Amino acid sequence: MDIEQKQAELIHHFVNQFSSSSDSLASLFVEATSHPSLYAFSEILALPTLLQLEGTENSVYLDMLRLFAYGTWSDYKRDAERLPQLIPDQILKLKQLTVLTLAETNKVIPYEQLMQELDVTNVRELEDFLINECMYAGIVRGKLDQLQRCFEVQFAAGRDLRPGHLGSMIQTLSNWLSTSENMLVTIQEKIKWADNMGEIDKKHRKDVEEKVEEVKNSLFKANIDFRGEGPEEIYSESGGVMDYEEDQTRPKRRRHPIH
């Protein structure tokens, strides 16, 4: 089962749980935010039963769910005093989400930045986290460059869209669409130019072949005119024209050497 299908099933499960369960909200929040395969929370956040927690004594759990939807480990450390204490599985999940946030805008992430954001003290620990907790989980793919001390991102799962960011995303997609359309026009023009050049080249080859054939025919005709046609003729000693075959019947005169 791919990660998108698993996400959809988990979201549906927790939406039903929060909508109808009589269990403690606190335990449900912990279960959802620590689940090893759930990385999207916006649909849960949109539930009317949860939005009603705003301004109540339980609003802190709503804030925690927002943190997992949009925030990072650094955000939690900044607001830790007013948020519930996280269990180890929640800490792991929030650090995984932090990597996804960094990968959204950076295709090359320096080790130093990752270690600072994740509270990791050495490169070995960082690389183990990226391999075992991120790449094996299928939420990110990339290359660990130990020489340049950076993580080259090849793929990263998307996080929930932050409130107020829809407009900028639409603008980004519009710009991408415009760029793609311009590129398509350029490609079509290049194809048309290549087709025209192919036709010109084909016509040029045909013209050359026709000229070569004309030259061959002209040379062949000139060779025939030069050799002439019919019986060969020779000139007699008296200056007249004598048929060659007739000349073969005449006795040959013996010539005496001159002393």
Side-chain angles (χ1 to χ4, degrees):
M1 183 182 299
D2 59 30
I3 189 171
E4 290 83 4
Q5 183 179 352
K6 184 66 174 178
Q7 285 285 292
E9 292 183 0
L10 286 171
I11 290 171
H12 180 71
H13 166 74
F14 281 108
V15 164
N16 289 337
Q17 287 288 96
F18 277 102
S19 299
S20 59
S21 177
S22 59
D23 294 342
S24 168
L25 282 177
S27 62
L28 277 178
F29 276 116
V30 172
E31 182 183 354
T33 54
S34 61
H35 195 286
S37 299
L38 182 62
Y39 298 93
F41 305 92
S42 59
E43 291 186 47
I44 301 174
L45 273 170
L47 290 173
T49 53
L50 295 186
L51 294 176
Q52 291 174 2
L53 298 178
E54 194 75 65
T56 70
E57 59 181 9
N58 290 323
S59 63
V60 65
Y61 295 107
L62 187 59
D63 292 338
M64 185 175 71
L65 193 57
R66 287 181 180 135
L67 173 70
F68 278 82
Y70 317 121
T72 64
W73 175 243
S74 295
D75 295 330
Y76 173 76
K77 289 191 300 179
R78 185 178 60 248
D79 298 331
E81 292 184 359
R82 70 177 189 85
L83 294 173
Q85 185 175 355
L86 301 182
I87 64 174
D89 286 344
Q90 287 176 304
I91 294 174
L92 171 61
K93 171 60 64 64
L94 194 53
K95 288 186 176 182
Q96 290 174 318
L97 294 169
T98 299
V99 172
L100 294 184
T101 295
L102 293 173
E104 285 180 351
T105 55
N106 302 280
K107 294 306 177 184
V108 178
I109 311 174
Y111 276 3
E112 286 72 15
Q113 183 180 6
L114 285 164
M115 287 190 289
Q116 180 180 355
E117 291 291 332
L118 300 174
D119 270 347
V120 175
T121 58
N122 59 74
V123 171
R124 176 62 182 274
E125 184 181 356
L126 171 64
E127 291 181 338
D128 286 346
F129 178 82
L130 291 174
I131 294 172
N132 299 326
E133 308 299 348
C134 295
M135 286 193 272
Y136 283 174
I139 61 173
V140 68
R141 290 195 303 269
K143 175 184 176 183
L144 302 174
D145 191 334
Q146 295 180 332
L147 183 61
Q148 299 296 327
R149 293 175 60 86
C150 64
F151 177 52
E152 298 178 4
V153 180
Q154 298 171 347
F155 160 81
R159 294 195 65 182
D160 293 301
L161 184 62
R162 295 172 179 82
H165 285 204
L166 180 60
S168 62
M169 175 170 284
I170 292 175
Q171 183 61 48
T172 299
L173 292 175
S174 298
N175 293 339
W176 175 82
L177 179 60
S178 177
T179 301
S180 300
E181 290 175 345
N182 292 336
M183 186 177 296
L184 179 60
V185 171
T186 301
I187 292 173
Q188 290 174 338
E189 290 176 351
K190 292 289 186 182
I191 292 174
K192 184 177 180 181
W193 176 84
D195 290 342
N196 290 338
M197 291 302 296
E199 291 297 325
I200 293 174
D201 182 63
K202 187 185 298 184
K203 185 177 183 303
H204 176 70
R205 287 173 179 240
K206 184 178 180 181
D207 292 342
V208 170
E209 290 172 357
E210 290 177 352
K211 289 181 180 179
V212 169
E213 194 64 29
E214 289 178 3
V215 171
K216 285 182 179 179
N217 292 335
S218 298
L219 291 175
F220 181 73
K221 182 178 180 181
N223 189 37
I224 291 176
D225 292 342
F226 175 74
R227 288 184 301 167
E229 297 180 352
E232 294 185 10
E233 297 175 333
I234 61 174
Y235 289 91
S236 66
E237 292 180 358
S238 61
V241 178
M242 182 184 305
D243 185 77
Y244 176 75
E245 293 179 356
E246 180 184 352
D247 183 67
Q248 297 296 320
T249 62
R250 296 184 180 182
K252 296 181 180 180
R253 291 183 298 174
R254 185 180 184 83
R255 294 187 178 185
H256 299 283
I258 300 175
H259 300 284

